[in-house]
Each structure stands twice: as structure tokens, then as C-alpha cells.
Amino acid sequence: MASPSNVAVEKNNRMEASVYWAAEKGEIQVFMEKINELHLDQLLTPDNNTILHVHARASTTDKIFVREILNMCPPLLLQTNAKGETPLHVAARYGHVRIVKALIKHAKSSDRQQIRDLESAMGRDSEATKQMLRMRNKEKDTALHEAVRFRRLEVVRILIKEDPHYSYSANEEGETPLYIAVEGRYRVLVDDILDKCSSPASTGPNGRTVLHAAIMARDKGMTRKLLEKTENLTRKADDCGYIPLHYAALLPVHVDIVKLLLEKDVSSAYVQNGIGMTALHIAANSSHVGCREVMKEIILRCPDSCEVVDHEGQNFLHFAVRSSTYEALQLILNHSSLGNYLLNAKDNAGNTPFLWMAANSHWKESILNAFLSHPHVNKMAFNKEKKNFLDMVTYSYGFKKKFITGERMKNKYGIRPHLRTAIGEDDEESHRYLPRFLKVMEKSKEIILVVATLIATVTFTAGFTLPGGYQSSKGPLQGAAILRGNAAFQAFVITDTVALGLSISAVLINLIMRTSDDKWKIIGCHVMSWYLTVLALVFMLIAFITGTYAVLAPSLLLAIATCVVGLLFLCLSFFWTRIVRSLDRFFIYV
């Protein structure tokens, strides 16, 4: 057999239309009539496709055409196009079983001398058939890669049967035929490759294996098959350090998959990823529905895996608190030996799970109550910064570079009575920021009171000096507003009234604040009066805009210009309101 041609891509390569259509339709007579005129291996398209490539791409094919063409020009069997694809690559991609069989049959029927010539030219020591089956295109795909990718089951079976002992390695993307089949959930193809290939390669992209792919596909059947037919994949980590069990804990897979992995290799429960997390850590840090069952299964088989810590020294319970997973906390608390050991274990920063909850300033009330009601929780534990739970709550909700919204105040009111009872600290001593906060607040509340009073005065006055004046003529409407039927005037009256009500409310709250001894109630009243005053300013501006428009309506351009300017300042007021929501505007700590 002659050596395959390596014709370079030429810009002027072209195939005559009559030859192209004859190749597509399989009209062998056209080529037999011109056998003395045509060099078949030089009939190329711009992409260096030969007549066999063209025929293999067609929707209908003829094995007689393939056989006769190869008899006339044997080098076409292994001649590649610009992408490095042989006719077998193309036939496998499109699932042309008859062409695949014809190509293999021709390779087998070549005489020994032609095989020796081919092997000498290619520098290979394999038979022509195996050489063709193992040839790779520029993306390192074999014909089997192509057949598996496009689900050509019959072609896959033919190719495997011809070369069952070859381990098809990864292509340029890191994919092996088996990995492509598993990732694509082609269960029949997976079964065929595992049953008929003696040693199929099991690697995939990014350091993953076919077992990783089966877990990510959440396929229990493929996972079981791979565990039966492959070895040493349960502890193979990808480039991120994740083994298959880690993905089973991370993704919402069925717990039966976790059981299969642990039955195969129970020690995988102790394997840590790149940042030291085990499968139990990952499950505790997840929020999918099945994470509870996954955690239960791991704890049942490997209870002491709860003691493994990550690179930051955090155990399973730290992760449960981090993700606010109450189920994970209950799993530990229900096992006294585990719970009592983990409850007060400290990470590298000295934070117990109880302290770590405070450091992150978010938690579920159920988790907090579980900690506070547990008799073995050290509620007075200090971390390496010499802070206990109450100190950390004060800082996290504190007044330095933090926004205190109504929700955060609600959380503070909700948590504080429990802490006073459970921890028993003196409020003045435990909150070092409180005295300074109250001192700065004393300065700002006077300003708020003055502004609120001024707004109330202005809006009250505007309510009795209505735009447009009053009816002066005698009659039933004497003294009524002239513009009472105008929509802009009506909006003025409403917004002016709202501004008056808000400012009066702010003044009243400010007065109530002066009569209270509860420091936290004082803080809440102060914040509330500030918000009411800001809203009163906004409504007063809207009242001005609508009132001005009502009296300037006859001069439409002037009225519109006034509204635009007023609305511009309204937008600016919202912008500044968002900025001053931070209490740093009022309470600055040195």
C-alpha cells in the first residue's frame, strides 16, 4: 500500500464541479472513464478534502464506490485533509457504517508488501488497519472519538471490535472516548466501551476522570458501572483538588451515589481538596435539598471525619454555621460525643463555631437558639483578638464603616435579651463603642430637632397661604381656594400635608427619646427621627414643585423648567440620602 499523501493546503486548490458531484453521488463510472487523465489523490477542495472525504460526507453512500476508488488509488485510504482527518474520521462522524466497513476491509486486504511500504514510510510498527484506526486529526481525535461524540453506536462497536486492546488516549481538549460518552450520558456507549475494551483510558479535561463526569451527570447507573469496571478512580483529584466524592457532596445528587462511592472506598471521606475541605465540609457548606442525607451517610460510615479541619482550622460545625444549615448542626448535636467535641473547637483565629457565627454577622434564629440552649457551649469563649460573642456582635453591627438599617436594629433587639440572660455581661462594659456613640448622638439630635421643627413651620404656613389665593366674591364658595380643581394644586395640598405630618412625627419621637433611659431605645428613636426628617424634606420639595406648577401653568415653558430644576434637586436628595444612611455621617469613632 502506498504512503498517505501529505498535500499542503493551497489557496488555489479546487475540484471541478462535475468531479465533485460525481464523488458525492458515488458515480464511479465518471472516474473509471478518466482514470488515465485524473490523479485521484490530487483532486482536492480548498480544504484538501479528497473525493473520498466528499463521498463520506454525503447523506447516501455506496461501499462499491469506496472499494473501486481505493483499488484505483490506494493512498486515498490514509490521505488527510487540512484538519488532519482521514476518510474514516468523516465516515465515523456521520455514522456511515458501510463506508467504515469498506475502509477497514480494504486495509485488511492490502498485500504484505504494501503494508511493509506503508509502515516504512510512516515509521510505525503496526498493521495497516490499526494504523488507520489510531490515526489522529489536528485536534488529536481518532475515528472512535468522532463516533462516540455523535452517538454512532454501530460504528463504535465496529471500531472497538477491530482494536479492543488499544487505550484511546485524550484529545487536545483532554477528552477520551469513554469520557465523552460518560459526559454526554450515552449509557449504551459507555457499557459497550467498558465491556469490550480491555483498558480504555479514563482521563478527562481539567484533571477529571470519567468517574467525575458520571457524578456531575448525576447518573447512578453509570457510576456503578464505572466503579465495577475501573480501579483507583475514587481518590483521583482534578486540578482543583476535588475527588468524585467531593462532587457528590457539592451537587444535588442522589444519596445512593454517595453510598456507592463509600462502599468502594470509605477512606475517600477523609480526602481533602485544595483548601483542605473534605466531602463532609462541602456538604455542610452546601444548601441543596439532599445535603442532609449526604451528611448523614458520611457521618454514619466515617463519624471521626467530622474532626478533620481545613487549612483555616475549621471543622464540620464551622461550615454548618457558615452556610446557616440548621440540619447539619442538629446532626452533630444529636451525637453527643461528636457535638461535645466540636462545639468549642477553635480554628486558627481562635473562633469556635459560636464565635464564628458572630464574626460573620448573619445567622438563623434557630441556630442561635440551639447554641444558647446547649449546656456544653462555652458562651464566654474568647478568640485570639480577645473578643467574645457579645463583643463581636457589637462590632459586626457596630458603628464603624457599617450601615445600620431597620432590619439590623431588629436583629439587635431580637438577640440582645437572650445574650443578657445567657451571658450575663454588663451592658456598659461589654459595649465599648456605646458611650462614644451616645456622645456623638447628643450633638446630632439637636440638629435633627431644629430641622424637623423648621419643616413643620414652613409646611404649616404654606397650608394657609395657598397658591393662587382664595375666592373673594360673595357666595357659597367664598374663601375657597381658586385652584381647588387643578390636579397640580391637589398634589401640592397632599404632599404639603404629608411633609407636615412627617416633620411633626420626627419632633415627637425626638421628644420621647429625651424621656427614655434605655440606651438602645434611644438609638432606635434617633435613627427613626432622622429618616422621618429626610422624608419630610423630600415631600416638602415635591410640594414646592407642584404648587409652583399650579400657579405657572399658563406659562407652560416656565412651569416645566421649574419642575425640571426641582426634580433635579429631588434626585440629588435621594442620592445624598443613600450616602448618609451610614451612621458614619453622624457617629464617627476615632
Side-chain angles (χ1 to χ4, degrees), residues 206-208 212 234-247 268 271-279 282:
N206 302 317
R208 299 191 186 111
H212 285 96
T234 55
R235 296 173 66 86
K236 287 285 183 66
D238 64 9
D239 292 345
C240 296
Y242 279 69
I243 63 173
L245 184 61
H246 291 154
Y247 280 102
S268 60
V271 176
Q272 297 172 280
N273 66 7
I275 57 175
M277 295 172 66
T278 65
I282 295 170

Side-chain angles (χ1 to χ4, degrees), residues 446-568:
E446 298 296 336
I447 299 173
I448 293 175
L449 180 61
V450 170
V451 173
T453 304
L454 182 61
I455 295 173
T457 303
V458 172
T459 52
F460 180 83
T461 304
F464 288 96
T465 55
L466 299 177
Y470 303 90
Q471 291 280 1
S472 58
S473 59
K474 293 183 179 181
L477 298 178
Q478 184 178 8
I482 296 175
L483 300 176
R484 62 187 177 279
N486 186 288
F489 176 82
Q490 293 170 356
F492 159 77
V493 174
I494 293 172
T495 52
D496 185 73
T497 304
V498 171
L500 175 64
L502 291 172
S503 59
I504 291 176
S505 299
V507 172
L508 288 175
I509 291 175
N510 209 295
L511 293 175
I512 293 172
M513 176 174 61
R514 295 169 183 270
T515 62
S516 176
D517 293 329
D518 190 324
K519 298 179 178 62
W520 296 105
K521 185 181 289 186
I522 291 173
I523 293 172
C525 289
H526 179 77
V527 173
M528 181 60 69
S529 65
W530 180 81
Y531 274 113
L532 291 174
T533 304
V534 171
L535 285 174
L537 282 169
V538 172
F539 276 98
M540 186 174 68
L541 179 59
I542 297 174
F544 172 80
I545 294 171
T546 54
T548 304
Y549 185 87
V551 297
L552 294 178
S555 302
L556 187 59
L557 290 178
L558 180 59
I560 293 174
T562 303
C563 290
V564 170
V565 173
L567 289 173
L568 177 62

